[in-house]
C-alpha cells in the first residue's frame, strides 16, 4: 500500500498497487502547474481518504483536452486524480514513500527549455509518444 498527499496534507490518498508507469512531460502546461513527472495509476487502485472537498479542477480552454486537479488550499497539482478513466496520470511527487519505478519516457521535448537538462536514458519523443 502506497500513500500520497498534497503539500498541506488536507488531501490524502492510498494506492493498493504500485503505479504502472512513470513518464515526464515537457509541455509548457505541465511545467507551469508543476506536474511534469507523472505516474499512471488505476482508478480501482486509488482511494481518496481525506480532503475530497479540497480538490479543485482546472478545466482546459478550447484546444486542450485534459482537466487538471489541484488542492485549493496549497495549490499542489494532483494531475487527473478525479478522472473517470480506468487509468490516469498523477504527479509522482504527490506519492509519499518510494515508487518501484523509474522514468521511462520524455514527451513534448520540443517544448523543453534549454535550462532543463535530461539526465537519464529514457526514450524521448518530440510530442506525444507513438
Ligand atoms: Zn493541500
Ligand atoms: Zn504536458
Amino acid at each position: 500500500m502506497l500513500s500520497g498527499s498534497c503539500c498541506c496534507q488536507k488531501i490524502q490518498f492510498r494506492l493498493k498497487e504500485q503505479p504502472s508507469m512513470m513518464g515526464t512531460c515537457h509541455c509548457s502546461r505541465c511545467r507551469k502547474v508543476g506536474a511534469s513527472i507523472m505516474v499512471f495509476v488505476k482508478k480501482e487502485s486509488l482511494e481518496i481518504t481525506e480532503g475530497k472537498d479540497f480538490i479543485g479542477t482546472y478545466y482546459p480552454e478550447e484546444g486542450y483536452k485534459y482537466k487538471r486537479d489541484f488542492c485549493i488550499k496549497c495549490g499542489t497539482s494532483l494531475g487527473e486524480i478525479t478522472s473517470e478513466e480506468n487509468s490516469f496520470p498523477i504527479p509522482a511527487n504527490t506519492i509519499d514513500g518510494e515508487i518501484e519505478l523509474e522514468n521511462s519516457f520524455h514527451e513534448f521535448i520540443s517544448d523543453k527549455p534549454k535550462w532543463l537538462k535530461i539526465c537519464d536514458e529514457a526514450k524521448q519523443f518530440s510530442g506525444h509518444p507513438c
Side-chain angles (χ1 to χ4, degrees):
M1 181 83 75
L2 272 176
S3 62
S5 56
C6 62
C7 181
C8 76
Q9 303 289 309
K10 283 280 181 199
I11 297 165
Q12 308 263 346
F13 62 89
R14 283 196 298 230
L15 289 173
K16 282 184 223 135
E17 46 186 286
Q18 286 278 327
S20 58
M21 183 169 53
M22 183 183 292
T24 303
C25 182
H26 296 277
C27 85
S28 63
R29 293 168 66 82
C30 290
R31 185 166 67 245
K32 283 180 188 289
V33 301
S36 294
I37 306 174
M38 59 211 158
V39 290
F40 290 81
V41 298
K42 285 188 195 146
K43 180 152 192 75
E44 62 188 22
S45 166
L46 183 136
E47 185 192 359
I48 298 168
T49 52
E50 300 273 350
K52 282 193 182 106
D53 293 349
F54 283 86
I55 299 175
T57 301
Y58 161 38
Y59 292 91
E61 295 83 5
E62 214 178 317
Y64 295 101
K65 190 172 168 190
Y66 300 105
K67 60 188 182 123
R68 295 171 181 274
D69 299 318
F70 58 94
C71 173
I72 60 172
K73 185 178 181 202
C74 68
T76 298
S77 287
L78 298 166
E80 297 170 41
I81 202 165
T82 62
S83 174
E84 294 300 324
E85 301 291 322
N86 291 331
S87 172
F88 48 80
I90 62 171
N93 45 286
T94 60
I95 308 258
D96 300 315
E98 286 294 341
I99 305 169
E100 291 163 21
L101 280 175
E102 290 184 357
N103 185 54
S104 61
F105 66 89
H106 294 272
E107 64 177 13
F108 290 96
I109 291 296
S110 55
D111 282 359
K112 187 183 75 59
K114 287 197 188 114
W115 52 255
L116 182 62
K117 302 292 179 202
I118 290 177
C119 301
D120 65 23
E121 303 297 314
K123 276 186 231 159
Q124 300 183 15
F125 302 90
S126 69
H128 262 301
C130 357

